[in-house]
Amino acid sequence: MSDAIDIRRVVKRYGTFTALHGVSLTIRDNEFFTLLGPSGCGKTTLLRMIAGFEDVTQGEILLFGQNIAGLEPDHRPVNTVFQNYALFPHMSVLDNVAFGLKMKGMAAGPRRARAGKMLEMVHLSAFADRLPAQLSGGQQQRVALARALAPEPRVLLLDEPLSALDLKLRQAMRVELKQLQEDTGITFIFVTHDQEEALTMSDRIAVMSAGHVQQIGSARDIYEAPVNRFVADFIGETNLLEVEVASVQAGMARVVLPGGQQVTCPSATDTLGRHALSIRPERLSLIAAEGDMTATVERVVYLGTDLQLLMRLDGGADMQVRIQNSARTDVPQIGARLGLRIEEGAARLLAD
Amino acid sequence: MKGVRHYPGFLAITVLCLVVLYAPLLVIMAYSFNGSTSITTWGGLSLHWYVDVFTGAEAARFGQAAWNSLTIAVIAATASTAIATAAAVAMIRGGTFRGKRATFALINMPLMVPEIVTAVATLIFFAMIGLTTGYLTILIAHVTFCIPFAYLPIAARLQGIEGHYEQAARDLYASRWQAFRLILLPLMAPGVVSGYLLAFIISLDDFIITNFVKGAGMETLPTAIFGSVKQGIKPNIMAISTLMLVVSILFVALSYLINRKGRRSP
Ligand SMILES: Nc1ncnc2c1ncn2[C@@H]1O[C@H](COP(=O)(O)OP(=O)(O)OP(=O)(O)O)[C@@H](O)[C@H]1O
Ligand SMILES: [Mg+2]
């Protein structure tokens, strides 16, 4: 597999403000790659630099091995689905979809045929003659998708395309988008701040914060093996405990929990001293109040499929525990004292 | 909260303003249909003076003046709208550049400078560069002072169009020019039309500057009317004035309607 995009130590400054601090990442051909991070971390900025709307301050971007610096947006084989869709308000849906083909010089006949096909693909054939303003948000989103895919770009950039849709539609569109990506084989670079969206669709995810890439990996990698506090905290929910590292060797650490219990766990660091230990709430189980970690139940939150228990360790730290809400579960009482057991391999020592 | 009607003196001020503003216009319109040759006594309803405008002794003079006015207004409005459109795109889409504020001030200055000053200055300028006053000098002056009037509605419209439409076009392989012609220009069309109509009316209506730079023997409708009135007011002037008023109102209404339609479907 070749690389679709190679971003090398890219820096972006707006005046004195640095939006991206030397970002490096490689996106493979045919990959569904997601840029995930909180608002303002530089996702859109990076996407706009790939599309050609923003100059690169430092570093370089290669598109299929070619440096695209100085290439105008219309000379990049890359199309964008804009966050607000940016459908041309004065053109019919069909003309919107056909626009890129027209600019590429395709004759009117084949152009209309292909645009029609694209509309069929997004189930909007019946709306070809409408103006964008006469469509719902979800329909506009599909038109934007069809418009960007029609000229067969090698890379498709999607900037939070689902954020304006309601939950049900968003979930349906996730599946459709993923399917579309697999069918067309086009490289998708998808921007979102919604971690669930990122986890469900992506081949790989780059987690960003404040202009830095924090971690790149599959959904499983970043959920199971976060490298630092930011990633552990941003992806899913986690308990972060301050622990003393007794020894580290070959990626495994022996740490001392607040209660004095010692556990061995995978480690993202190889230095001794105080570090954060991440334990996912669903990887903790409740046992009778004995052993080294005992806690008091402070709140029980009913989540439907799960129960979330907010507990306070005897040492003073807060812990969240998630248990399945099966018919056999006895719901713990508020104020109950229970023991916590960390499942094998459930904890992970973080770098910072 | 009390409505505006309840402020003390509201009614009196309103009536006063309306009377001062519109009574003269109403009088002129009414007397343009006067059957008598007097401008003060009513002699019954008649279209006599309208017929006189087109066939009377002064018909040829006014005809030529109207033709001059019309062609100058069309050319001046076209040229100034083209310039104003280019200026608006540069100002609003050109990012930040050195001297942007100064440019903005320069574009809009003619609105602030007293017209008589512009008139004198323009005349002196033409004399200095040795340009004989006549049709061409009127035209040049009109193009110049129409630019800010055309600029205002065009810039206002462009300001309301977000930049991502052009970016989407560029992204879909349109060149800069194609993005402008196929996307931006249609979107800003209501502003452009509105600017054109405003420039047209302003040109058609101008008296002071025109009077200075027109040269001997050259007349536009306003200068011709003024020349005629100097020898005493005849009722045919009222008919001509009424006709001009109707044309102006039509244009302003058109401009307003186009702008409103444009705003409803951005
Ligand atoms: N044209 C600009 N001038 C100055 N600063 C900018 C500009 N565009 C973006 N920024 C800044 O760069 C940072 C990154 O912006 P960016 O739009 O890439 O964020 P984002 O990750 O896409 O956020 P969101 O999820 O809210 O869309 C922000 O702090 C923003 O304020
Ligand atoms: Mg963004």
Side-chain angles (χ1 to χ4, degrees):
Chain A
M1 238 191 311
S2 63
D3 290 336
I5 290 187
D6 194 0
I7 296 169
R8 297 183 176 168
R9 294 179 303 280
V10 162
V11 174
K12 177 66 189 178
R13 285 193 205 96
Y14 292 108
T16 57
F17 175 77
T18 307
L20 293 172
H21 304 262
V23 166
S24 293
L25 42 93
T26 306
I27 297 162
R28 298 179 196 130
D29 202 5
N30 303 338
E31 191 169 34
F32 197 121
F33 192 91
T34 297
L35 299 172
L36 172 65
S39 188
C41 71
K43 308 179 295 284
T44 298
T45 303
L46 191 54
L47 215 59
R48 289 173 57 81
M49 289 198 294
I50 298 171
F53 302 131
E54 227 47 270
D55 292 332
V56 177
T57 311
Q58 249 173 53
E60 51 191 25
I61 300 178
L62 306 188
L63 189 66
F64 295 98
Q66 186 202 359
N67 190 335
I68 51 174
L71 223 50
E72 292 277 308
D74 48 327
H75 288 104
R76 301 183 181 199
V78 167
N79 288 153
T80 308
V81 177
F82 289 81
Q83 186 161 3
N84 35 29
Y85 313 144
L87 298 177
F88 306 130
H90 58 300
M91 291 186 190
S92 73
V93 165
L94 190 76
D95 287 344
N96 262 281
V97 176
F99 187 83
L101 302 170
K102 185 173 175 183
M103 293 302 105
K104 282 186 123 181
M106 191 186 265
R111 188 168 79 213
R112 290 182 65 86
R114 173 148 176 83
K117 260 215 192 70
M118 296 309 295
L119 282 179
E120 215 168 282
M121 185 185 75
V122 295
H123 318 298
L124 283 177
S125 302
F127 300 86
D129 297 326
R130 290 211 194 169
L131 287 177
Q134 298 166 319
L135 299 182
S136 74
Q139 290 164 341
Q140 289 181 19
Q141 198 272 329
R142 285 154 195 266
V143 176
L145 194 63
R147 184 178 71 171
L149 283 171
E152 296 182 302
R154 300 192 67 182
V155 177
L156 186 72
L157 309 176
L158 304 103
D159 193 355
E160 308 201 21
L162 308 183
S163 60
L165 309 180
D166 65 38
L167 184 65
K168 275 270 179 267
L169 198 53
R170 210 153 64 215
Q171 286 169 342
M173 280 306 295
R174 279 182 203 162
V175 179
E176 260 184 66
L177 267 183
K178 179 72 185 162
Q179 189 65 49
L180 207 59
Q181 191 265 332
E182 283 168 7
D183 292 349
T184 56
I186 294 173
T187 306
F188 276 34
I189 305 181
F190 186 90
V191 162
T192 182
H193 58 249
D194 180 334
Q195 41 125 343
E196 198 181 312
E197 220 164 81
L199 294 178
T200 50
M201 292 194 289
S202 321
D203 294 322
R204 286 192 309 148
I205 300 167
V207 183
M208 295 177 64
S209 114
H212 293 275
V213 171
Q214 301 291 341
Q215 185 171 1
I216 302 173
S218 66
R220 179 170 282 272
D221 287 341
I222 60 167
Y223 187 79
E224 308 265 336
V227 293
N228 58 27
R229 266 171 198 273
F230 177 82
V231 178
D233 205 30
F234 190 71
I235 311 294
E237 284 170 346
T238 198
N239 294 295
L240 291 173
L241 284 181
E242 290 299 326
V243 295
E244 196 69 42
V245 179
S247 69
V248 244
Q249 206 173 41
M252 296 301 281
R254 185 132 194 94
V255 301
V256 187
L257 295 181
Q261 183 195 0
Q262 295 211 354
V263 292
T264 307
C265 63
S267 172
T269 177
D270 50 12
T271 55
L272 298 178
R274 288 194 79 72
H275 281 288
L277 186 73
S278 161
I279 312 165
R280 298 285 180 196
E282 74 278 9
R283 302 277 169 89
L284 282 164
S285 45
L286 298 172
I287 52 174
E290 57 191 20
D292 304 300
M293 274 219 284
T294 44
T296 314
V297 178
E298 297 205 315
R299 271 170 75 97
V300 180
V301 183
Y302 182 82
L303 297 175
T305 56
D306 287 348
L307 293 174
Q308 183 189 37
L309 309 182
L310 303 180
M311 308 184 72
R312 170 146 302 178
L313 281 182
D314 287 356
D318 287 325
M319 284 292 251
Q320 267 189 53
V321 181
R322 235 176 219 248
I323 53 174
Q324 259 190 13
N325 184 20
S326 73
R328 284 170 293 132
T329 311
D330 356 311
V331 179
Q333 297 299 311
I334 290 176
R337 267 174 61 81
L338 294 164
L340 290 177
R341 196 170 62 82
I342 302 174
E343 290 169 23
E344 196 57 46
R348 182 175 168 85
L349 195 66
L350 304 175
D352 51 59
Chain B
M1 211 180 99
K2 290 207 296 186
V4 68
R5 288 161 188 282
H6 298 283
Y7 284 98
F10 170 79
L11 190 69
I13 293 172
T14 307
V15 169
L16 186 69
C17 287
L18 288 178
V19 167
V20 171
L21 278 172
Y22 291 105
L25 290 179
L26 289 176
V27 168
I28 280 216
M29 283 201 274
Y31 273 83
S32 71
F33 296 103
N34 191 356
S36 95
T37 47
S38 158
I39 58 163
T40 47
T41 52
W42 185 251
L45 206 60
S46 147
L47 284 177
H48 178 79
W49 296 113
Y50 286 90
V51 175
D52 183 79
V53 166
F54 292 102
T55 58
E58 288 186 305
R61 199 167 85 86
F62 278 120
Q64 183 59 44
W67 175 249
N68 290 342
S69 269
L70 197 70
T71 55
I72 287 171
V74 167
I75 300 172
T78 308
S80 61
T81 303
I83 295 169
T85 304
V89 172
M91 287 298 289
I92 293 163
R93 287 297 197 263
T96 48
F97 54 88
R98 268 186 65 206
K100 187 165 179 169
R101 278 166 193 280
T103 311
F104 183 77
L106 282 176
I107 293 173
N108 289 292
M109 192 90 95
L111 297 176
M112 262 76 84
V113 178
E115 206 182 336
I116 185 73
V117 176
T118 309
V120 173
T122 312
L123 178 61
I124 294 172
F125 174 72
F126 286 143
M128 272 169 65
I129 63 168
L131 205 56
T132 324
T133 49
Y135 189 90
L136 184 64
T137 49
I138 301 178
L139 192 58
I140 294 172
H142 278 224
V143 170
T144 314
F145 71 70
C146 281
I147 290 173
F149 291 97
Y151 180 81
L152 289 178
I154 295 173
R157 174 77 193 177
L158 183 54
Q159 210 112 46
I161 302 172
E162 287 180 62
H164 54 239
Y165 295 119
E166 294 138 270
Q167 286 175 2
R170 296 300 310 279
D171 190 58
L172 292 162
Y173 314 106
S175 65
R176 271 173 207 277
W177 171 245
Q178 285 171 321
F180 172 74
R181 194 171 55 82
L182 299 173
I183 305 300
L184 192 57
L185 199 55
L187 292 180
M188 61 194 281
V192 174
V193 173
S194 196
Y196 183 92
L197 294 178
L198 198 56
F200 183 88
I201 286 295
I202 295 291
S203 165
L204 200 64
D205 185 49
D206 183 72
F207 174 74
I208 300 180
I209 294 176
T210 311
N211 201 38
F212 272 74
V213 300
K214 72 186 172 65
M218 190 69 203
E219 301 286 357
T220 64
L221 211 42
T223 62
I225 291 172
F226 183 71
S228 172
V229 167
K230 270 198 295 195
Q231 282 129 41
I233 301 178
K234 284 198 299 152
N236 66 337
I237 295 298
M238 298 191 183
I240 292 178
S241 302
T242 306
L243 287 173
M244 278 188 84
L245 186 65
V246 169
V247 170
S248 294
I249 289 173
L250 274 180
F251 269 85
V252 172
L254 203 60
S255 160
Y256 173 76
L257 283 177
I258 288 172
N259 228 348
R260 203 181 54 166
K261 180 164 170 286
R263 208 158 331 153
R264 236 184 293 131
S265 57

